[in-house]
Amino acid sequence: FFLLIRKRGQPYRMSAPVEKLRDTLLMSTCQVNEDVLCKLLKVGYIRTVMQKEGPNAYAQFLGCLMQRQGSSRHLLGAVSREIAALAAHPDDKRALLQPQILNLLVHSLQMEDEHVLTF
């Protein structure tokens, strides 16, 4: 798979994928090929890469994707499933208790976000 991540309206810049995944500002505003990202989320590749960055990195990454403007229903569904999977494991659940992630989830539920409610 080739995961394209770049700033909107900017040419693609070659760099290590982890660098881009770590950049929360980029991830919340980037242009990305969502189908590939969904597949990489589903098979656990992104989770494996992000967990090497620290215990909360994956939850923060998912939070950035939830806030991303213009995400497809498909991507939001994939992110919601990953958040649900984190919540199911006691060790991973702690990462979801970060204020920024909790606030995002509460806001999504208050807005009756169908992606969070469904998955």
Side-chain angles (χ1 to χ4, degrees):
F1 296 107
F2 179 72
L3 180 62
L4 172 73
I5 302 171
R6 66 178 179 179
K7 289 183 180 180
R8 290 189 187 276
Q10 299 288 320
Y12 177 76
R13 183 178 63 86
M14 188 66 136
S15 63
V18 173
E19 273 183 43
K20 291 182 180 185
L21 295 174
R22 241 187 278 148
D23 186 341
T24 55
L25 178 61
L26 174 66
M27 290 311 302
S28 62
T29 60
C30 69
Q31 182 176 355
V32 61
N33 48 349
E34 293 185 357
D35 289 337
V36 172
L37 182 55
C38 287
K39 287 177 184 163
L40 293 174
L41 285 169
K42 185 175 182 177
V43 300
Y45 175 78
I46 302 287
R47 183 178 189 158
T48 301
V49 168
M50 293 306 294
Q51 285 179 331
K52 292 176 184 175
E53 298 299 310
N56 300 329
Y58 189 56
Q60 290 172 344
F61 171 75
L62 294 173
C64 289
L65 290 179
M66 286 291 285
Q67 293 175 323
R68 189 172 161 268
Q69 297 293 322
S71 290
S72 70
R73 294 175 61 134
H74 183 60
L75 178 58
L76 290 173
V79 171
S80 296
R81 281 189 291 278
E82 288 300 304
I83 289 171
L86 283 178
H89 299 294
D91 293 339
D92 294 331
K93 191 183 295 186
R94 282 185 230 117
L96 294 176
L97 296 177
Q98 300 173 75
Q100 77 181 70
I101 303 299
L102 255 178
N103 289 338
L104 173 66
L105 294 174
V106 168
H107 176 72
S108 295
L109 288 170
Q110 287 174 335
M111 300 301 294
E112 296 183 4
D113 187 321
E114 64 188 66
H115 303 99
V116 174
L117 293 174
T118 304
F119 300 101

